Amino acid sequence: MKAKQIILIILTIILVDQASKFYIKLNYYTGEEHNVLGTWFRLHFVENEGMAWGWKFGGDFGKIALTLFRLGAVIWGSFLIRNFIRQKQHKGFLICAALIYAGALGNLIDSLFYGIIFEASNPFTQNVATFLPAGGGYAGLFHGKVVDMLYFPIITNSHYPSWIPIVGGEEFEFFRPVFNIADMAISTGVITILVFQNKFFNRPEQEQHHTIVTNAEVNDKTQIF
């Protein structure tokens, strides 16, 4: 698979992810919700200060640390994907790597810049944020919140059976987390790699033999020169 194809996949995911986030940010106030397909697919605007799926990590310091970690992971991922392409890894694995990389980069953009370029949205006043507000954004660099909006509460108004320890009798909902396109790309890439890892990483013996022979020939030529 060529590098241009991988780059196209990454750019497409980032474009769709950022377009959906800009739309929600500029048209919804925090907490606003609208049904898309019945009641089981909704657009529900929430802002995530932490990791994917709404997890949080250690307050203000944790926010900076998480953003720096995302930045480092994206930089490291750039070199990894380049090496995967040079190694001619399985096409399916390269696509999954591109999905994970694009998702990480999509959420990194939110964390880095959204605090600077957007006004805060308040669920009590129900104001919709503006882009590049005159008075400045709601936070500084590295302090932006990740925009989530995809909500699929397929099963609602249910309860765990009373015999289940700890959660017995409590309200049950599937699927509760609110997420975005970037989260979906990361999850799809990781799950697909786990499911098809034998196909992605166990290359046929003939292909492995060809690779070994090719590398040996290159080493021989290098020694000659």
Side-chain angles (χ1 to χ4, degrees):
M1 197 170 189
K2 296 181 179 180
K4 291 182 179 180
Q5 295 172 306
I6 297 297
I7 293 173
L8 180 61
I9 292 173
I10 293 171
L11 291 178
T12 300
I13 294 171
I14 292 174
L15 179 62
V16 174
D17 176 64
Q18 290 299 310
S20 64
K21 290 172 177 176
F22 266 64
Y23 172 78
I24 292 296
K25 191 71 178 169
L26 297 176
N27 291 277
Y28 283 52
Y29 60 82
T30 305
E32 185 174 355
E33 176 180 290
H34 294 284
N35 294 337
V36 178
L37 291 175
T39 59
W40 62 269
F41 174 27
R42 312 176 193 178
L43 290 178
H44 181 87
F45 175 28
V46 296
E47 291 184 299
N48 174 13
E49 297 184 12
M51 296 178 282
W53 310 104
W55 295 353
K56 294 184 179 181
F57 179 68
D60 187 63
F61 172 78
K63 176 62 180 176
I64 296 177
L66 181 59
T67 302
L68 288 173
F69 173 79
R70 283 176 173 154
L71 179 60
V74 167
I75 294 173
W76 180 55
S78 301
F79 292 100
L80 274 182
I81 290 183
R82 183 195 62 180
N83 291 336
F84 291 154
I85 295 172
R86 290 178 176 178
Q87 294 166 4
K88 299 186 183 300
Q89 294 283 354
H90 190 283
K91 180 179 179 180
F93 174 72
L94 290 176
I95 293 174
C96 289
L99 291 175
I100 297 170
Y101 179 86
L105 181 55
N107 284 335
L108 174 63
I109 292 173
D110 298 25
S111 297
L112 283 176
F113 303 116
Y114 274 28
I116 298 174
I117 65 176
F118 284 115
E119 177 190 17
S121 177
N122 192 314
F124 300 103
T125 60
Q126 298 186 352
N127 71 295
V128 176
T130 57
F131 181 64
L132 297 177
Y138 64 82
L141 191 68
F142 289 89
H143 286 80
K145 300 176 183 178
V146 177
V147 174
D148 295 326
M149 80 295 289
L150 301 177
Y151 183 34
F152 292 87
I154 299 174
I155 300 176
T156 58
N157 299 322
S158 297
H159 295 80
Y160 289 100
S162 58
W163 52 266
I164 297 180
I166 302 177
V167 297
E170 294 186 5
E171 184 179 353
F172 171 78
E173 179 180 302
F174 181 84
F175 184 70
R176 186 182 295 273
V178 182
F179 56 99
N180 56 43
I181 299 295
D183 296 333
M184 189 166 61
I186 294 172
S187 299
T188 300
V190 171
I191 293 172
T192 304
I193 289 175
L194 292 176
V195 172
F196 295 100
Q197 56 183 305
N198 290 334
K199 184 176 182 180
F200 290 167
F201 303 123
N202 292 335
R203 293 186 293 176
E205 291 184 3
Q206 291 182 349
E207 183 180 346
Q208 293 181 16
H209 176 72
H210 174 73
T211 302
I212 294 173
V213 172
T214 303
N215 291 337
E217 291 176 350
V218 171
N219 291 335
D220 290 342
K221 292 180 180 178
T222 303
Q223 291 176 1
I224 291 174
F225 289 100

